[in-house]
Amino acid sequence: MASVKVAVRVRPFNQREKDMGAKLIVQMDGKKTRLLTVKNSKEQNEGGREKYKDFTFDHSYWSYDSDDKHYASQEQVFSDLGLDVIDSAFEGYNACVFAYGQTGSGKTFTMMGSSENQGLIPRICRQLFSRVAAGKESGASYRTEVSYLEIYNERVKDLLGGSGGAGSGGGSSHSLRVREHPQHGPYVQDLSKHLVSDYDDIQECMQRGNQQRTTASTAMNDVSSRSHAIFTVRFVQASYLRHNNMPSETASKVHLVDLAGSERADATGATGQRLVEGAHINKSLVTLGSVISALAECALPHDGRTPKSGKKVFIPYRDSVLTWLLKDSLGGNSKTIMIAAISPADCNYGETLSTLRYANRAKKHHQQAHHQRGPQRQAHPRAARRDRQVARADRASHRPYRDGARRSCHAAA
Ligand SMILES: Nc1ncnc2c1ncn2[C@@H]1O[C@H](COP(=O)(O)OP(=O)(O)OP(=O)(O)O)[C@@H](O)[C@H]1O
């Protein structure tokens, strides 16, 4: 992977957390996020004396209190992360932005936001079209298409397929097939693509798609997204090269992903259908983590297969529909941005720690990718062992059916 940025964002207390008198256990200072260890947590039970855990990311966004002078607004998140995505698209690179975190931690708020407080997706789209307008004035021409799909229980639904857009054929069920094109890689057969010419067009697609998403009320969130949603913007720009007046065309693809919550069954009080959903959600999130971690082992990111040691690294893209469809923007020259959304409350300590560890793994990938361009470095065997331990802990913390003894907001409420 050529470039990965990892950010973490903490939201305000929700009503449930306030009602139960939750304590604030997250602190941020610059790029650093500190998680205070909670009494009765595994670390304390095992006799560890650690009072906190520190993590450093590209950005640590403090959105706990809107009156605080350090409050990170939607605008700030966009200017740090969204503008990068637009630059990449105009340079012809693919990009992928995804929000990861437990249910109710603020993923949808960060990615989509509300009509008064728009998130990254609408802001990126708006900015894209203002750059297009400027480019048109200097003679370039553009073609922008969007598609919007949802992955629910490993099945794909076209969120824009219902009301007859161009090429619409998906209908409203989760029945689309994922196939592989010999040159262009994985794609969804019969997914509708919609030509958009301005921000209003794209907004209409977003709104229509959002209404089709599968949500449910869980103990952690009244309107919980139970699926992964991928909003894809395909962007082609055509212009004439200045020095020889030859026509040139660049194509890029931006995937904007709102992941389903990384919840565990014990934390959300899930049974029946919710439990099945949870198992699928967890499997694909674990696979996403494994893909990112496997990419980290590759010494040559441009082919994504040859590690430093010379032995082939298997990247398990195919293990979930999510990673399979994001393949073209999780490796190669693409730009990937991960936003880890966390709760500020002590009752969510376990989930928050697991989210921060997950984000930390992606960050290691990022650091390695940069090292690869510079002088060769040998990984210290102890560091490699520690990485494997963290990866194991990470996988364990995402098992859906654990009989967790940890206190959760739900259990305590
Ligand atoms: N940074 C923030 N500032 C203010 N409110 C926020 C923030 N982040 C989240 N919230 C609020 O918290 C609630 C839950 O957020 P959201 O729906 O984005 O969670 P989610 O992680 O997408 O959950 P799920 O995975 O269940 O869909 C919402 O009411 C949202 O408005």
Side-chain angles (χ1 to χ4, degrees), residues 252-269:
S252 50
K253 203 190 278 185
V254 179
H255 290 303
L256 301 159
V257 189
D258 184 14
L259 294 173
S262 59
E263 84 270 30
R264 291 183 317 235
D266 61 327
T268 55

Side-chain angles (χ1 to χ4, degrees), residues 153-168:
N153 288 350
E154 291 297 273
R155 294 162 70 109
V156 179
K157 169 177 164 178
D158 188 345
L159 292 174
L160 298 175
S163 57
S168 120

